[in-house]
Amino acid sequence: MSNRLRDQLDEDLVLAPGVWDGLTAVIAEQAGFSALCASGFAISASLGYPDAELYTMTENLHAVRTIREASSLPLVADIDTGYGNAVNAVRTARRFLDAGVEAVFMEDQESPKRCPLTTGAALPLLDVTAAAGKIRAVKDTVGDDMMVIARTDARGDEALRRAVAYVEAGADLIMPVTKTFDTVEEWAACHAEVGVPLMATLTASAWTEKAFTPEVMREIGVGLAILPTQLLMAVAGVAERTLSRLARDEAPAQVGEDEGAMAHHRFVDLIGTADVERIQHTYLPESA
């Protein structure tokens, strides 16, 4: 089976925005992106939780299926730690492959994971042999049908050692987190060491968001870059301001205009109302 994301990576750097439901998937596709990322941070936040693996594999899979139904773009999915050991990770990979996902990224933290951006503490990691075993198990399960991206939350030389082990286990890309390395030069060294493309996380307010221009990423071996939180933060900011003003009894029309609300006719077009009406007019009795 052809993997569309792999085909895109063979051509050029791929940027994938973080989405968490059907609406955000549609907006991202219409904006012109060629791939999407089912952001674990955003999916967790949409449920009202921090990014600490508080939601289940099934809840994550449900969000991914909703995204896939809304958009046909190649989809990269965050499967956290695989939700357990190698046996659990294999089942997770099978389910996400069945859902039409082109690539998954899995980290080497102990389960339940913690978001490195929201904690200053050192994160407990799996032994490198156990982490590599999970990657090998997943890759042996999905073969070339789905790309496996190995994320490491280690730092410095330890991260390089793990990255090499993960590639030997079958990882298609290596994903250092934003705290793994401190400089562009260290990223370039990682790419030279592992010999496969890197995946960068351009998280809002992280140093990589500022330093990793498309030109820089191409130079240091980044093949895939995700934007996991930009849309989430933008939506949350507008929602907070809008609702705060409405709660103070400000005029809804004025609030909407000030906050840049989408016009109603544009929104109904965005969500496919015309397609539903066409089906209704074609197939339903006139009395309906």
Short mmCIF file of all heavy atoms in Angstrom, two decimals, residues 1-3 5-6 9 79 82 85-94 97 101-106 130-150 165-174 196-197:
data_model
loop_
_atom_site.label_atom_id
_atom_site.label_comp_id
_atom_site.label_asym_id
_atom_site.label_seq_id
_atom_site.Cartn_x
_atom_site.Cartn_y
_atom_site.Cartn_z
N MET A 1 0.85 -1.19 0.00
CA MET A 1 0.00 0.00 0.00
C MET A 1 0.89 1.24 0.00
O MET A 1 1.84 1.34 0.78
CB MET A 1 -0.91 0.01 1.24
CG MET A 1 -1.88 1.18 1.28
SD MET A 1 -3.06 1.03 2.65
CE MET A 1 -2.00 1.38 4.06
N SER A 2 0.60 2.19 -0.89
CA SER A 2 1.37 3.42 -0.96
C SER A 2 1.11 4.29 0.26
O SER A 2 -0.02 4.39 0.74
CB SER A 2 1.01 4.18 -2.24
OG SER A 2 1.67 5.42 -2.28
N ASN A 3 2.17 4.89 0.77
CA ASN A 3 2.04 5.80 1.90
C ASN A 3 2.21 7.22 1.39
O ASN A 3 3.30 7.61 0.95
CB ASN A 3 3.08 5.47 2.97
CG ASN A 3 2.93 6.30 4.23
OD1 ASN A 3 3.16 7.50 4.23
ND2 ASN A 3 2.52 5.66 5.31
N LEU A 5 2.22 10.13 2.85
CA LEU A 5 3.13 11.00 3.60
C LEU A 5 4.58 10.72 3.19
O LEU A 5 5.37 11.66 3.01
CB LEU A 5 2.95 10.82 5.09
CG LEU A 5 3.83 11.71 5.97
CD1 LEU A 5 3.49 13.18 5.78
CD2 LEU A 5 3.72 11.32 7.43
N ARG A 6 4.93 9.45 3.04
CA ARG A 6 6.28 9.12 2.61
C ARG A 6 6.57 9.73 1.24
O ARG A 6 7.66 10.25 0.99
CB ARG A 6 6.47 7.61 2.56
CG ARG A 6 7.89 7.18 2.20
CD ARG A 6 8.06 5.69 2.14
NE ARG A 6 8.06 5.09 3.47
CZ ARG A 6 7.06 4.36 3.95
NH1 ARG A 6 5.97 4.16 3.23
NH2 ARG A 6 7.14 3.84 5.17
N LEU A 9 7.33 13.37 1.76
CA LEU A 9 8.64 13.57 2.36
C LEU A 9 9.75 13.38 1.34
O LEU A 9 10.82 14.00 1.45
CB LEU A 9 8.83 12.61 3.53
CG LEU A 9 7.97 12.86 4.77
CD1 LEU A 9 8.13 11.72 5.77
CD2 LEU A 9 8.32 14.18 5.43
N ILE A 79 0.66 8.89 19.45
CA ILE A 79 0.14 7.76 20.25
C ILE A 79 0.83 7.69 21.61
O ILE A 79 0.87 6.63 22.24
CB ILE A 79 0.23 6.42 19.50
CG1 ILE A 79 1.68 6.08 19.12
CG2 ILE A 79 -0.65 6.42 18.27
CD1 ILE A 79 1.86 4.64 18.62
N GLY A 82 2.25 4.61 23.44
CA GLY A 82 1.67 3.37 22.91
C GLY A 82 0.69 2.75 23.88
O GLY A 82 0.16 1.68 23.65
N ASN A 85 3.16 -1.42 27.31
CA ASN A 85 4.39 -2.03 26.84
C ASN A 85 4.30 -2.37 25.35
O ASN A 85 3.40 -1.90 24.65
CB ASN A 85 4.73 -3.27 27.68
CG ASN A 85 3.64 -4.34 27.59
OD1 ASN A 85 2.86 -4.37 26.63
ND2 ASN A 85 3.60 -5.23 28.57
N ALA A 86 5.21 -3.19 24.86
CA ALA A 86 5.25 -3.51 23.43
C ALA A 86 3.96 -4.17 22.97
O ALA A 86 3.49 -3.93 21.85
CB ALA A 86 6.45 -4.40 23.13
N VAL A 87 3.37 -5.00 23.81
CA VAL A 87 2.12 -5.66 23.44
C VAL A 87 1.00 -4.64 23.25
O VAL A 87 0.26 -4.68 22.25
CB VAL A 87 1.71 -6.69 24.52
CG1 VAL A 87 0.36 -7.32 24.18
CG2 VAL A 87 2.79 -7.77 24.66
N ASN A 88 0.89 -3.70 24.17
CA ASN A 88 -0.12 -2.64 24.05
C ASN A 88 0.15 -1.76 22.84
O ASN A 88 -0.78 -1.36 22.13
CB ASN A 88 -0.13 -1.78 25.32
CG ASN A 88 -0.35 -2.57 26.58
OD1 ASN A 88 0.59 -2.80 27.33
ND2 ASN A 88 -1.57 -3.00 26.83
N ALA A 89 1.42 -1.44 22.62
CA ALA A 89 1.78 -0.57 21.51
C ALA A 89 1.43 -1.21 20.17
O ALA A 89 1.02 -0.52 19.22
CB ALA A 89 3.27 -0.24 21.57
N VAL A 90 1.58 -2.53 20.06
CA VAL A 90 1.21 -3.23 18.83
C VAL A 90 -0.29 -3.09 18.57
O VAL A 90 -0.71 -2.79 17.44
CB VAL A 90 1.61 -4.72 18.92
CG1 VAL A 90 0.88 -5.54 17.86
CG2 VAL A 90 3.12 -4.86 18.74
N ARG A 91 -1.09 -3.29 19.59
CA ARG A 91 -2.55 -3.14 19.40
C ARG A 91 -2.89 -1.71 19.02
O ARG A 91 -3.72 -1.48 18.13
CB ARG A 91 -3.30 -3.53 20.67
CG ARG A 91 -4.81 -3.36 20.54
CD ARG A 91 -5.56 -3.93 21.73
NE ARG A 91 -7.01 -3.81 21.51
CZ ARG A 91 -7.76 -2.83 22.02
NH1 ARG A 91 -7.22 -1.87 22.75
NH2 ARG A 91 -9.06 -2.80 21.78
N THR A 92 -2.28 -0.75 19.69
CA THR A 92 -2.51 0.66 19.36
C THR A 92 -2.18 0.93 17.90
O THR A 92 -2.95 1.56 17.17
CB THR A 92 -1.67 1.56 20.27
OG1 THR A 92 -2.08 1.36 21.64
CG2 THR A 92 -1.83 3.03 19.90
N ALA A 93 -1.02 0.47 17.45
CA ALA A 93 -0.59 0.72 16.07
C ALA A 93 -1.57 0.11 15.07
O ALA A 93 -1.89 0.73 14.05
CB ALA A 93 0.81 0.15 15.85
N ARG A 94 -2.04 -1.09 15.35
CA ARG A 94 -3.00 -1.73 14.45
C ARG A 94 -4.28 -0.91 14.33
O ARG A 94 -4.82 -0.73 13.23
CB ARG A 94 -3.34 -3.13 14.97
CG ARG A 94 -2.26 -4.17 14.72
CD ARG A 94 -2.64 -5.49 15.36
NE ARG A 94 -1.66 -6.53 15.10
CZ ARG A 94 -1.47 -7.60 15.86
NH1 ARG A 94 -2.21 -7.76 16.96
NH2 ARG A 94 -0.57 -8.50 15.55
N LEU A 97 -3.59 2.25 12.32
CA LEU A 97 -3.43 1.91 10.91
C LEU A 97 -4.79 1.66 10.27
O LEU A 97 -5.07 2.15 9.16
CB LEU A 97 -2.54 0.68 10.77
CG LEU A 97 -2.32 0.16 9.34
CD1 LEU A 97 -1.61 1.20 8.48
CD2 LEU A 97 -1.51 -1.15 9.38
N VAL A 101 -4.33 6.18 9.33
CA VAL A 101 -3.22 7.06 9.69
C VAL A 101 -1.98 6.69 8.90
O VAL A 101 -1.66 5.51 8.75
CB VAL A 101 -2.95 6.96 11.21
CG1 VAL A 101 -1.67 7.68 11.60
CG2 VAL A 101 -4.13 7.53 11.98
N GLU A 102 -1.27 7.69 8.39
CA GLU A 102 -0.05 7.44 7.61
C GLU A 102 1.21 7.32 8.46
O GLU A 102 2.19 6.72 8.04
CB GLU A 102 0.16 8.55 6.58
CG GLU A 102 -0.50 8.29 5.24
CD GLU A 102 -1.99 8.62 5.25
OE1 GLU A 102 -2.49 9.18 6.25
OE2 GLU A 102 -2.65 8.33 4.25
N ALA A 103 1.20 7.92 9.66
CA ALA A 103 2.38 7.87 10.53
C ALA A 103 1.95 8.08 11.97
O ALA A 103 0.97 8.79 12.25
CB ALA A 103 3.41 8.94 10.13
N VAL A 104 2.68 7.43 12.88
CA VAL A 104 2.46 7.66 14.31
C VAL A 104 3.79 8.01 14.95
O VAL A 104 4.85 7.59 14.49
CB VAL A 104 1.88 6.41 15.02
CG1 VAL A 104 0.47 6.13 14.54
CG2 VAL A 104 2.77 5.18 14.82
N PHE A 105 3.73 8.83 16.01
CA PHE A 105 4.95 9.06 16.79
C PHE A 105 4.72 8.61 18.22
O PHE A 105 3.64 8.80 18.80
CB PHE A 105 5.48 10.48 16.69
CG PHE A 105 4.54 11.60 17.03
CD1 PHE A 105 4.52 12.18 18.29
CD2 PHE A 105 3.70 12.12 16.06
CE1 PHE A 105 3.68 13.25 18.59
CE2 PHE A 105 2.86 13.19 16.33
CZ PHE A 105 2.85 13.76 17.61
N MET A 106 5.73 7.92 18.75
CA MET A 106 5.65 7.29 20.07
C MET A 106 6.90 7.66 20.85
O MET A 106 8.02 7.65 20.32
CB MET A 106 5.55 5.78 19.89
CG MET A 106 5.42 5.00 21.19
SD MET A 106 5.07 3.23 20.90
CE MET A 106 6.60 2.72 20.11
N ALA A 130 14.18 -1.55 26.20
CA ALA A 130 12.72 -1.68 26.21
C ALA A 130 12.07 -0.71 25.23
O ALA A 130 11.12 -1.07 24.51
CB ALA A 130 12.19 -1.45 27.62
N ALA A 131 12.59 0.51 25.16
CA ALA A 131 12.03 1.50 24.24
C ALA A 131 12.23 1.06 22.79
O ALA A 131 11.33 1.17 21.95
CB ALA A 131 12.67 2.86 24.49
N ALA A 132 13.43 0.57 22.47
CA ALA A 132 13.70 0.10 21.11
C ALA A 132 12.85 -1.12 20.79
O ALA A 132 12.40 -1.29 19.65
CB ALA A 132 15.19 -0.23 20.96
N GLY A 133 12.60 -1.96 21.79
CA GLY A 133 11.75 -3.13 21.57
C GLY A 133 10.34 -2.74 21.19
O GLY A 133 9.71 -3.40 20.34
N LYS A 134 9.81 -1.69 21.80
CA LYS A 134 8.47 -1.21 21.44
C LYS A 134 8.44 -0.72 20.00
O LYS A 134 7.50 -0.99 19.25
CB LYS A 134 8.03 -0.10 22.39
CG LYS A 134 7.68 -0.59 23.78
CD LYS A 134 7.42 0.56 24.73
CE LYS A 134 6.15 1.30 24.44
NZ LYS A 134 5.82 2.29 25.48
N ILE A 135 9.48 0.00 19.61
CA ILE A 135 9.54 0.50 18.23
C ILE A 135 9.62 -0.66 17.25
O ILE A 135 8.92 -0.68 16.23
CB ILE A 135 10.74 1.44 18.06
CG1 ILE A 135 10.53 2.70 18.89
CG2 ILE A 135 10.96 1.80 16.58
CD1 ILE A 135 11.77 3.51 19.12
N ARG A 136 10.46 -1.65 17.55
CA ARG A 136 10.58 -2.81 16.67
C ARG A 136 9.26 -3.55 16.57
O ARG A 136 8.85 -3.98 15.47
CB ARG A 136 11.68 -3.74 17.18
CG ARG A 136 11.90 -4.96 16.28
CD ARG A 136 13.08 -5.78 16.74
NE ARG A 136 14.34 -5.07 16.57
CZ ARG A 136 15.08 -4.58 17.57
NH1 ARG A 136 14.65 -4.73 18.83
NH2 ARG A 136 16.19 -3.93 17.33
N ALA A 137 8.56 -3.69 17.67
CA ALA A 137 7.29 -4.40 17.67
C ALA A 137 6.26 -3.68 16.80
O ALA A 137 5.53 -4.31 16.02
CB ALA A 137 6.76 -4.54 19.10
N VAL A 138 6.21 -2.36 16.93
CA VAL A 138 5.26 -1.58 16.13
C VAL A 138 5.62 -1.65 14.65
O VAL A 138 4.76 -1.86 13.79
CB VAL A 138 5.22 -0.12 16.63
CG1 VAL A 138 4.46 0.76 15.64
CG2 VAL A 138 4.56 -0.05 18.01
N LYS A 139 6.91 -1.48 14.33
CA LYS A 139 7.33 -1.48 12.93
C LYS A 139 7.11 -2.85 12.29
O LYS A 139 6.69 -2.95 11.13
CB LYS A 139 8.79 -1.06 12.81
CG LYS A 139 9.22 -0.79 11.37
CD LYS A 139 8.38 0.33 10.75
CE LYS A 139 8.74 0.55 9.28
NZ LYS A 139 7.87 1.57 8.66
N ASP A 140 7.38 -3.91 13.02
CA ASP A 140 7.14 -5.26 12.49
C ASP A 140 5.65 -5.48 12.22
O ASP A 140 5.29 -6.27 11.35
CB ASP A 140 7.65 -6.31 13.47
CG ASP A 140 9.17 -6.42 13.49
OD1 ASP A 140 9.81 -5.84 12.60
OD2 ASP A 140 9.70 -7.09 14.40
N THR A 141 4.81 -4.78 12.97
CA THR A 141 3.37 -4.94 12.82
C THR A 141 2.84 -4.18 11.60
O THR A 141 2.02 -4.71 10.84
CB THR A 141 2.65 -4.42 14.08
OG1 THR A 141 3.07 -5.22 15.20
CG2 THR A 141 1.14 -4.52 13.93
N VAL A 142 3.29 -2.94 11.41
CA VAL A 142 2.72 -2.09 10.36
C VAL A 142 3.51 -2.12 9.05
O VAL A 142 2.99 -1.72 8.00
CB VAL A 142 2.58 -0.64 10.84
CG1 VAL A 142 1.72 -0.58 12.09
CG2 VAL A 142 3.95 0.01 11.10
N GLY A 143 4.76 -2.58 9.10
CA GLY A 143 5.57 -2.63 7.90
C GLY A 143 5.72 -1.27 7.23
O GLY A 143 5.91 -0.26 7.89
N ASP A 144 5.60 -1.27 5.91
CA ASP A 144 5.72 -0.02 5.16
C ASP A 144 4.39 0.72 5.02
O ASP A 144 4.36 1.81 4.43
CB ASP A 144 6.29 -0.29 3.77
CG ASP A 144 7.75 -0.75 3.82
OD1 ASP A 144 8.45 -0.35 4.77
OD2 ASP A 144 8.15 -1.52 2.93
N ASP A 145 3.31 0.14 5.54
CA ASP A 145 2.00 0.77 5.38
C ASP A 145 1.87 2.03 6.24
O ASP A 145 1.10 2.94 5.90
CB ASP A 145 0.88 -0.20 5.76
CG ASP A 145 0.77 -1.35 4.76
OD1 ASP A 145 1.24 -1.17 3.62
OD2 ASP A 145 0.23 -2.40 5.13
N MET A 146 2.59 2.07 7.35
CA MET A 146 2.52 3.24 8.24
C MET A 146 3.93 3.57 8.70
O MET A 146 4.69 2.67 9.08
CB MET A 146 1.60 2.97 9.43
CG MET A 146 1.34 4.18 10.31
SD MET A 146 -0.05 3.92 11.46
CE MET A 146 0.68 2.77 12.63
N MET A 147 4.28 4.85 8.68
CA MET A 147 5.59 5.28 9.15
C MET A 147 5.62 5.36 10.67
O MET A 147 4.63 5.75 11.29
CB MET A 147 5.96 6.63 8.54
CG MET A 147 5.98 6.63 7.02
SD MET A 147 6.49 8.22 6.31
CE MET A 147 8.26 8.10 6.57
N VAL A 148 6.75 4.97 11.25
CA VAL A 148 6.91 4.98 12.70
C VAL A 148 7.96 6.03 13.04
O VAL A 148 9.10 5.96 12.58
CB VAL A 148 7.33 3.60 13.23
CG1 VAL A 148 7.56 3.67 14.74
CG2 VAL A 148 6.28 2.56 12.89
N ILE A 149 7.56 7.00 13.85
CA ILE A 149 8.43 8.10 14.25
C ILE A 149 8.76 7.92 15.73
O ILE A 149 7.86 7.87 16.57
CB ILE A 149 7.74 9.45 14.02
CG1 ILE A 149 7.32 9.59 12.54
CG2 ILE A 149 8.64 10.60 14.44
CD1 ILE A 149 6.33 10.71 12.29
N ALA A 150 10.04 7.79 16.02
CA ALA A 150 10.48 7.54 17.40
C ALA A 150 10.84 8.86 18.06
O ALA A 150 11.75 9.56 17.62
CB ALA A 150 11.67 6.60 17.42
N ALA A 165 19.74 3.74 18.31
CA ALA A 165 19.10 2.46 18.64
C ALA A 165 17.70 2.37 18.06
O ALA A 165 17.28 1.30 17.60
CB ALA A 165 19.06 2.30 20.16
N TYR A 166 16.99 3.48 18.03
CA TYR A 166 15.62 3.48 17.52
C TYR A 166 15.60 3.29 16.00
O TYR A 166 14.71 2.62 15.46
CB TYR A 166 14.91 4.76 17.92
CG TYR A 166 14.78 4.96 19.42
CD1 TYR A 166 14.49 6.22 19.96
CD2 TYR A 166 14.97 3.91 20.31
CE1 TYR A 166 14.38 6.41 21.33
CE2 TYR A 166 14.87 4.10 21.69
CZ TYR A 166 14.59 5.35 22.19
OH TYR A 166 14.49 5.53 23.55
N VAL A 167 16.57 3.89 15.32
CA VAL A 167 16.66 3.68 13.87
C VAL A 167 17.00 2.22 13.58
O VAL A 167 16.43 1.60 12.66
CB VAL A 167 17.69 4.63 13.24
CG1 VAL A 167 17.95 4.27 11.77
CG2 VAL A 167 17.20 6.07 13.34
N GLU A 168 17.90 1.66 14.35
CA GLU A 168 18.24 0.25 14.17
C GLU A 168 17.04 -0.65 14.42
O GLU A 168 16.92 -1.73 13.84
CB GLU A 168 19.40 -0.13 15.11
CG GLU A 168 20.73 0.50 14.73
CD GLU A 168 21.81 0.23 15.75
OE1 GLU A 168 21.49 -0.30 16.84
OE2 GLU A 168 22.99 0.55 15.46
N ALA A 169 16.11 -0.19 15.28
CA ALA A 169 14.90 -0.95 15.56
C ALA A 169 13.83 -0.78 14.49
O ALA A 169 12.81 -1.46 14.53
CB ALA A 169 14.33 -0.54 16.92
N GLY A 170 14.05 0.15 13.54
CA GLY A 170 13.11 0.30 12.44
C GLY A 170 12.44 1.64 12.31
O GLY A 170 11.60 1.82 11.42
N ALA A 171 12.76 2.61 13.16
CA ALA A 171 12.11 3.92 13.08
C ALA A 171 12.40 4.59 11.74
O ALA A 171 13.53 4.58 11.26
CB ALA A 171 12.60 4.82 14.22
N ASP A 172 11.36 5.17 11.16
CA ASP A 172 11.50 5.86 9.88
C ASP A 172 12.01 7.28 10.06
O ASP A 172 12.67 7.82 9.16
CB ASP A 172 10.15 5.90 9.15
CG ASP A 172 9.65 4.51 8.80
OD1 ASP A 172 10.21 3.91 7.88
OD2 ASP A 172 8.69 4.04 9.45
N LEU A 173 11.64 7.92 11.16
CA LEU A 173 12.10 9.27 11.48
C LEU A 173 12.42 9.31 12.98
O LEU A 173 11.89 8.49 13.76
CB LEU A 173 11.04 10.33 11.19
CG LEU A 173 10.75 10.70 9.73
CD1 LEU A 173 9.74 9.74 9.13
CD2 LEU A 173 10.21 12.12 9.65
N ILE A 174 13.25 10.26 13.35
CA ILE A 174 13.55 10.52 14.75
C ILE A 174 12.98 11.87 15.13
O ILE A 174 13.13 12.86 14.41
CB ILE A 174 15.06 10.49 15.02
CG1 ILE A 174 15.60 9.07 14.84
CG2 ILE A 174 15.39 11.01 16.42
CD1 ILE A 174 15.06 8.05 15.84
N VAL A 196 18.47 9.27 9.01
CA VAL A 196 17.08 9.32 8.57
C VAL A 196 16.56 10.73 8.83
O VAL A 196 17.15 11.48 9.62
CB VAL A 196 16.19 8.28 9.31
CG1 VAL A 196 16.70 6.86 9.08
CG2 VAL A 196 16.11 8.59 10.81
N PRO A 197 15.44 11.11 8.21
CA PRO A 197 14.92 12.45 8.46
C PRO A 197 14.51 12.64 9.92
O PRO A 197 14.17 11.68 10.63
CB PRO A 197 13.69 12.53 7.53
CG PRO A 197 13.92 11.49 6.50
CD PRO A 197 14.67 10.39 7.18
#
